[in-house]
Amino acid sequence: MCATNFFARIYYNYRRIAKTIILFLIISGPGVIVMLADNDAGGITTYAATGAKYGYGLIWFLVLLLPVAYYVQEMTVRLGAVTKRGHAEAIFSAFGPFWGWFSLLDLALTDWLTLVTEFIGMTAALSIFHVPPIVTIIVVSIVMLLMVLQGRYWTWEKIALVFAAINLIYVPGAFLVHPSVSSILRQGAIPHFPGGFNNDIFFFLMANIGTTIAPWMIFFQQSAVVDKGLQEKDIAWEKLDTFVGSVFTVVVAIFIIVVTGTVLKGMQVESAAQAAIKLISVNRYVGTFLAIGLFDAGFLGAICISLASSWALGEIFGWAHSLNFKIREAPWFYGAYLLALVTAGSVVLIPKAPLVLITLFVQVIAVTLLPATLVFLILLLNNEETMGKYKNTRWQNIIISTIVVVIIILSTLYAISALFPNLFK
Amino acid sequence: MFKGMRVTLSQRTGEFFWRKFRKIREINKRYEKSSIKVTPTVKIALLFLRIYLILLVLILVYKFITLVR
Amino acid sequence: MTAIQKRKAGQTYFLTEIRGAKVYLGEKRIGKLKDMVIEETGKIPIVTHIVVSRPFGDPALLIPWDKVKSLSTKEVIVDIESVKQYEGEPAGGSILLADHVLDKKVLDTEGREVDVVYDVKLIMRYGKLYVSKVDFSWHGLLRRMGLRWLSDFIYNMTEKSKEETISWSYIEPLPTELGSFKGNVKLKVLKEKLADMPPVDVADILEELDHDQRVALFNQLETEHASDTLEEIDPNVQRALISSLDKGKVAQLLNEMTVGQAADVLSVLPRDQVEDILELLDKDDAKKIRAILERQEENILNYVTEDIIKLPPDMTADQAQENFPHYAKGKDTVVYLYIVDPRDKLLGVIDLKELLKADDKALLKDVMNDNVVSLSPDSTLKEAYETFVRYSFRAIPVVDDNGKILGVILHRDVMNIKHRFWE
């Protein structure tokens, strides 16, 4: 009797846990995707350069970025699930047309410029394998179009998750270079500034923060939550999803640093593609992994960024805007998506296009939008009328305000230093 | 014949932009009233953002001028 | 250009081709053909006036058709005494071909589809100009974009290309904005035609429309029809539509639905709107809807309806038949009769078809099927779904451990709502 009771309880617990896991798997998606897409081509370059310059020295700093990314993105989950509308629409209706148009147009511009950098990353990564840029761009555009055209958010999400999983390729990559775990812990776990705090290291810290939070991420996740049809009762699960995603993003970043910090320590790295080439000459597999990872990062970033714009434009212009629509039902939505892809791709193909200037310009333009987006996010989350019991608590407000103030200051300085390179030198 | 076609084409582009313009006015009207309650915090935050934006634009303009020179 | 040309019978024109033609008064050019006013007389509408736009901001001219002497794609010759006399705008409520029909979505009542009119075909008969057909085809679109040569080229290449034109009598222009077309004959006809369409088709049509058109059209539906249609509409469209409707009206529509469907519709709305609407609903229903909205577990109890036909076992078949309309009133399912004892213990089920076939004097307990497929109070929606798939019943009773019937769960409540848990 006692034994059967015991087994019954085990079975019951097993059923309960299995049900919970299934529920999580069903609801999760937007958080993991947005977080891994955050490690886009620009992000990979930043991490690779950080590892090459400072070795394992700044790993502790990346761990600090985990709560930063989580707290900001978690707010979009609540906002989306409770109000059932995207961020662009939320800004329009809460703050009026001026801030609405400003956010929408600035988002479209920032997204487009970032999209160009993703294409630069993808073409650079594949040209290591001797794929001509034009082939990369055409094939990538077609694949991206096919991904959205099947007419189901569900399917799209699953495909995107596969690409997000490829992003984890750096983890086995790091083991191939046999880093010494003890020296990683010794040099990386304790907060310190290798070589003392100077302008150089400040620049790197700012760059790493700059790649962690981007305006498109906020717009993207909120729209994805809405498109997926998440409700208030799913909030806890989607928060967990976001947390898991932010752990992944930091893990990937750390492993990239481990790779370049082990093999390329002390070298100046200009781009991730360049790092991959250097790595190939040392260890063929690791270099190849880095190149594949770079391509995948650019690809994942490109999907999410062009969708973020299309969703936002659709919300405001009143077009049908959901991945659950067929192309005939939402022609403008898919049209905007394709237009962004094709134009950004073509820019990369133009011979002698000012690509370096564009990469630099992205940071500057993004910083015109980022503070507004973050401040709006906090204000919207404190609006009791629409948020009810899901509004920010006092502690959340304190944590998030601190994060936002720090981000605004650092990203502004980063943009200024990008404009005037001699200012911090 | 060519002339006639150009006239209708320009007419059509005009119509196109007119329609877009109407759409934008419609959107402005729809969101005319801001729905958030204007508390002092909101006011200060919006003021800060305005100033921030103006400063940033000034910096960009300065950079542009020095770049052109 | 003589008057004879105008009378040439059977000449056809495309609206996009004659629009923009220069208008002459004698030798003097007075403007360009901008639009045409049509009037619905009998089966096909007739052009009553032409609208002429003039340069330099002069007011437009409204010239009656009988003053038009000749018409071609290049020029229109009119014969009026003075220009001043005909200055004016078309009267409110009149239908303008280019303004109200061209490029607009219309309802094809034959195909139950919404299409965009790329062109309108006009036909000249005995000096009068009639609207004969509307063009939805790619050729129409190309012509509309000024690429007639391309259209002709493709036409010649493919030879037997099908022209997607539809006779005017089968289309219904839709209201462009709220309030426009008010009191128009067409809208009345439209309303009658919509009422005959199944809710799924109406939902498809609504999804294809612009927001204002959608609201205008939706408001034309009867409450029950509107309620059924609302369930079928895509979530994004539901959200936009409900936000523009009066809260009281929404509550009315939700009252027509079962709890499961109402919760399904409400799940797409912002939280503050949901609260406002729940206030207006019946307290018990609101409580159940809240439970569905707030909890993850998908227990069927919240979806169960008690509005069913329950009859005693000793009733005769003809008694049941006779009083059926009375029993069926206000019930959520009428295709099954549930036979219960005085303490609501479920004894058996009779399909309505069985009842009609039964001998008049037969007792219900002899007609009934006492081997009932049922669900228990702790069954989940997924189990209900599987049972429905297996047996294809319209409704399944929910019975507790003591055999007491708690209610039934309806096929449409399980199969027609947005389930996220078995994709």
Side-chain angles (χ1 to χ4, degrees):
Chain A
M1 186 68 201
C2 212
T4 51
N5 222 340
F6 176 71
F7 283 116
R9 209 177 307 142
I10 284 189
Y11 177 70
Y12 174 76
N13 276 332
Y14 160 76
R15 276 281 303 265
R16 207 176 45 116
I17 292 166
K19 229 166 137 183
T20 312
I21 291 172
I22 288 170
L23 195 60
F24 172 70
L25 289 180
I26 286 166
I27 292 168
S28 68
V32 167
I33 291 173
V34 78
M35 286 298 187
L36 281 173
D38 177 32
N39 286 342
D40 60 353
I44 305 278
T45 298
T46 310
Y47 303 135
T50 308
K53 186 150 176 92
Y54 294 104
Y56 311 140
L58 287 180
I59 286 178
W60 61 271
F61 185 72
L62 288 172
V63 177
L64 284 186
L65 293 181
L66 193 154
V68 171
Y70 169 74
Y71 272 108
V72 171
Q73 292 302 123
E74 175 270 337
M75 287 198 287
T76 67
V77 173
R78 276 184 284 148
L79 197 54
V82 172
T83 63
K84 311 280 194 300
R85 55 184 178 200
H87 201 60
E89 208 181 336
I91 292 177
F92 259 97
S93 84
F95 303 104
F98 171 75
W99 287 112
W101 286 114
F102 165 74
S103 303
L104 187 66
L105 298 178
D106 210 353
L107 177 80
L109 181 64
T110 317
D111 281 1
W112 189 81
L113 288 170
T114 320
L115 206 54
V116 174
T117 66
E118 308 298 355
F119 272 106
I120 295 172
M122 280 188 278
T123 49
L126 287 194
S127 59
I128 294 173
F129 306 119
H130 308 293
V131 180
I134 184 149
V135 175
T136 311
I137 284 167
I138 291 174
V139 171
V140 160
S141 301
I142 291 173
V143 172
M144 285 193 187
L145 199 62
L146 291 181
M147 265 182 82
V148 295
L149 285 191
Q150 35 73 32
R152 298 272 288 137
Y153 173 86
W154 188 260
T155 325
W156 173 84
E157 192 187 86
K158 294 297 158 279
I159 302 173
L161 277 174
V162 171
F163 284 107
I166 298 177
N167 212 308
L168 296 172
I169 194 168
Y170 298 106
V171 179
F175 285 104
L176 283 178
V177 297
H178 306 295
S180 130
V181 177
S182 68
S183 60
I184 290 176
L185 286 178
R186 203 156 7 92
Q187 294 169 25
I190 304 144
H192 71 293
F193 299 104
F197 192 86
N198 52 31
N199 289 333
D200 250 3
I201 203 164
F202 186 58
F203 186 83
F204 270 90
L205 295 184
M206 287 188 301
N208 277 302
I209 287 203
T211 62
T212 308
I213 294 295
W216 67 261
M217 292 172 65
I218 291 163
F219 285 84
F220 173 85
Q221 195 175 3
Q222 191 170 341
S223 297
V225 163
V226 172
D227 206 356
K228 188 163 185 179
L230 295 186
Q231 302 167 18
E232 284 109 276
K233 60 184 175 187
D234 306 326
I235 287 177
W237 300 98
E238 183 50 29
K239 275 174 157 180
L240 181 62
D241 174 43
T242 310
F243 184 76
V244 171
S246 50
V247 171
F248 277 144
T249 190
V250 169
V251 165
V252 168
I254 289 174
F255 276 84
I256 294 170
I257 288 194
V258 168
V259 172
T260 57
T262 312
V263 186
L264 303 177
K265 172 125 206 239
M267 287 193 207
Q268 192 75 29
V269 169
E270 302 284 321
S271 74
Q274 188 203 3
I277 294 168
K278 280 183 183 165
L279 273 172
I280 287 180
S281 64
V282 182
N283 182 328
R284 246 183 71 198
Y285 296 106
V286 186
T288 310
F289 275 24
L290 188 66
I292 292 173
L294 175 63
F295 171 77
D296 182 58
F299 187 79
L300 194 60
I303 302 171
C304 297
I305 290 162
S306 43
L307 264 182
S309 301
S310 302
W311 267 324
L313 290 169
E315 282 159 23
I316 300 309
F317 284 99
W319 312 329
H321 57 280
S322 166
L323 287 172
N324 287 321
F325 283 122
K326 301 260 180 325
I327 190 164
R328 212 181 67 86
E329 295 165 315
W332 288 96
F333 173 67
Y334 292 117
Y337 176 85
L338 185 66
L339 187 73
L341 282 182
V342 170
T343 50
S346 328
V347 167
V348 179
L349 287 181
I350 298 172
K352 290 186 193 149
L355 296 184
V356 181
L357 199 69
I358 287 178
T359 319
L360 195 133
F361 203 53
V362 171
Q363 295 148 1
V364 180
I365 294 295
V367 91
T368 58
L369 180 56
L370 189 62
T373 311
L374 291 172
V375 170
F376 289 153
L377 199 56
I378 297 182
L379 294 180
L380 287 168
L381 264 292
N382 278 301
N383 189 6
E384 177 139 29
E385 255 167 67
T386 49
M387 293 305 293
K389 63 178 172 180
Y390 296 101
K391 76 184 189 103
N392 274 357
T393 61
R394 183 184 295 259
W395 274 109
Q396 273 170 325
N397 271 333
I398 292 171
I399 296 171
I400 290 163
S401 305
T402 319
I403 291 174
V404 165
V405 168
V406 172
I407 291 179
I408 291 178
I409 294 172
L410 287 185
S411 57
T412 308
L413 289 175
Y414 182 49
I416 292 175
S417 74
L419 281 177
F420 307 99
N422 298 325
L423 207 63
F424 291 98
K425 286 277 156 71
Chain B
M1 183 217 159
F2 249 99
K3 206 176 168 195
M5 215 159 114
R6 203 159 54 212
V7 168
T8 47
L9 258 181
S10 74
Q11 201 178 29
R12 268 166 212 172
T13 24
E15 221 170 84
F16 176 81
F17 280 110
W18 171 242
R19 218 171 277 165
K20 290 290 139 206
F21 182 64
R22 206 170 53 188
K23 179 105 204 170
I24 288 168
R25 279 227 315 240
E26 207 178 282
I27 292 169
N28 285 347
K29 203 152 170 252
R30 181 156 22 119
Y31 297 111
E32 201 172 29
K33 237 180 81 220
S34 51
S35 71
I36 204 162
K37 213 163 67 197
V38 189
T39 57
T41 332
V42 175
K43 239 183 214 163
I44 293 167
L46 290 184
L47 187 70
F48 158 74
L49 287 178
R50 281 221 173 86
I51 295 170
Y52 178 88
L53 213 63
I54 291 167
L55 281 180
L56 220 56
V57 169
L58 286 180
I59 291 174
L60 280 174
V61 169
Y62 172 75
K63 171 77 188 176
F64 185 73
I65 291 170
T66 51
L67 207 71
V68 168
R69 261 203 232 141
Chain C
M1 295 294 161
T2 56
I4 299 158
Q5 187 161 353
K6 186 179 156 187
R7 297 227 168 75
K8 205 166 95 186
Q11 177 80 36
T12 60
Y13 302 96
F14 283 108
L15 179 64
T16 54
E17 287 173 344
I18 49 173
R19 213 154 69 104
K22 299 180 187 92
V23 180
Y24 290 93
L25 171 56
E27 291 292 302
K28 196 169 146 259
R29 193 176 144 188
I30 54 171
K32 277 185 294 188
L33 180 69
K34 186 173 163 242
D35 212 334
M36 293 179 159
V37 181
I38 57 168
E39 188 184 310
E40 303 243 19
T41 50
K43 244 192 150 58
I44 56 173
I46 183 170
V47 173
T48 59
H49 295 79
I50 62 170
V51 180
V52 179
S53 69
R54 292 157 75 202
F56 313 118
D58 288 334
L61 302 177
L62 187 67
I63 301 173
W65 176 251
D66 53 9
K67 301 284 180 195
V68 177
K69 288 298 152 226
S70 91
L71 179 81
S72 77
T73 53
K74 292 206 184 66
E75 50 188 22
V76 180
I77 298 176
V78 295
D79 180 22
I80 45 177
E81 307 79 57
S82 76
V83 168
K84 204 90 194 142
Q85 205 176 333
Y86 290 95
E87 283 177 0
E89 293 289 322
S94 52
I95 303 177
L96 290 162
L97 263 191
D99 231 30
H100 293 158
V101 180
L102 201 60
D103 287 344
K104 294 290 184 302
K105 288 173 176 170
V106 294
L107 182 62
D108 164 9
T109 51
E110 280 288 291
R112 288 179 187 164
E113 275 179 327
V114 176
D115 282 300
V116 175
V117 176
Y118 294 123
D119 214 339
V120 177
K121 206 170 183 180
L122 299 151
I123 188 161
M124 186 86 88
R125 285 262 158 79
Y126 307 110
K128 304 232 182 263
L129 193 60
Y130 296 95
V131 178
S132 67
K133 287 178 171 177
V134 292
D135 190 344
F136 305 137
S137 67
W138 283 98
H139 298 295
L141 177 60
L142 288 174
R143 263 204 307 276
R144 182 80 190 93
M145 298 193 305
L147 300 172
R148 188 186 177 138
W149 58 272
L150 186 61
S151 159
D152 289 348
F153 178 71
I154 297 172
Y155 190 82
N156 289 334
M157 289 283 288
T158 51
E159 298 239 345
K160 51 171 189 262
S161 144
K162 192 175 134 240
E163 283 247 2
E164 286 173 63
T165 52
I166 282 192
S167 163
W168 174 271
S169 51
Y170 290 126
I171 69 142
E172 304 288 348
L174 295 164
T176 41
E177 289 165 42
L178 282 171
S180 76
F181 270 83
K182 212 170 245 172
N184 193 288
V185 197
K186 276 278 180 187
L187 195 57
K188 251 189 231 156
V189 175
L190 189 61
K191 192 175 157 187
E192 280 160 22
K193 282 186 178 152
L194 277 180
D196 294 338
M197 281 187 202
V200 188
D201 287 345
V202 181
D204 281 348
I205 288 165
L206 287 175
E207 280 168 17
E208 300 233 0
L209 296 181
D210 301 326
H211 182 72
D212 289 338
Q213 293 181 327
R214 200 182 281 148
V215 176
L217 210 61
F218 189 79
N219 278 327
Q220 295 293 319
L221 302 172
E222 309 285 339
T223 308
E224 202 184 321
H225 199 216
S227 168
D228 291 342
T229 304
L230 191 60
E231 286 169 28
E232 304 287 347
I233 297 178
D234 181 85
N236 287 310
V237 181
Q238 265 177 354
R239 187 179 316 147
L241 186 59
I242 293 174
S243 300
S244 333
L245 293 175
D246 176 53
K247 292 271 186 313
K249 164 124 189 176
V250 178
Q252 221 177 6
L253 295 175
L254 292 178
N255 267 331
E256 294 281 325
M257 301 181 188
T258 59
V259 170
Q261 285 157 340
D264 197 45
V265 170
L266 286 175
S267 74
V268 303
L269 295 185
R271 198 199 59 89
D272 47 342
Q273 280 185 30
V274 174
E275 290 299 324
D276 291 350
I277 294 167
L278 281 178
E279 293 287 310
L280 301 173
L281 292 180
D282 175 70
K283 276 227 174 58
D284 283 347
D285 286 352
K287 206 174 136 199
K288 281 186 188 166
I289 292 173
R290 271 215 178 83
I292 296 174
L293 287 179
E294 279 163 20
R295 262 178 255 145
Q296 282 294 358
E297 69 203 57
E298 306 231 296
N299 189 287
I300 53 169
L301 270 193
N302 288 318
Y303 294 83
V304 160
T305 171
E306 285 145 42
D307 293 334
I308 52 174
I309 305 174
K310 287 190 272 195
L311 297 174
D314 295 325
M315 190 182 261
T316 57
D318 63 342
Q319 265 178 312
Q321 282 169 11
E322 205 170 301
N323 292 321
F324 183 77
H326 168 68
Y327 298 140
K329 208 166 190 180
K331 298 293 190 285
D332 281 335
T333 178
V334 295
V335 287
Y336 300 116
L337 298 90
Y338 296 92
I339 310 304
V340 294
D341 73 1
R343 271 178 297 163
D344 262 3
K345 190 170 165 0
L346 182 64
L347 304 171
V349 179
I350 302 177
D351 193 317
L352 185 57
K353 288 190 293 253
E354 304 291 321
L355 178 74
L356 296 176
K357 278 189 277 179
D359 289 338
D360 282 356
K361 289 298 160 209
L363 291 178
L364 291 186
K365 65 179 171 193
D366 299 327
V367 184
M368 75 182 186
N369 180 352
D370 52 10
N371 193 7
V372 186
V373 173
S374 66
L375 290 161
S376 74
D378 53 351
S379 303
T380 61
L381 273 183
K382 191 170 181 178
E383 284 159 358
Y385 175 86
E386 281 155 4
T387 318
F388 275 120
V389 168
R390 190 173 165 83
Y391 296 101
S392 60
F393 289 138
R394 310 294 309 155
I396 300 175
V398 178
V399 176
D400 71 7
D401 291 344
N402 302 321
K404 190 183 161 198
I405 184 167
L406 301 173
V408 304
I409 184 153
L410 301 176
H411 180 272
R412 59 172 176 171
D413 267 9
V414 176
M415 311 306 263
N416 287 4
I417 58 180
K418 299 181 274 293
H419 290 302
R420 303 168 299 157
F421 297 108
W422 47 70
E423 299 242 18

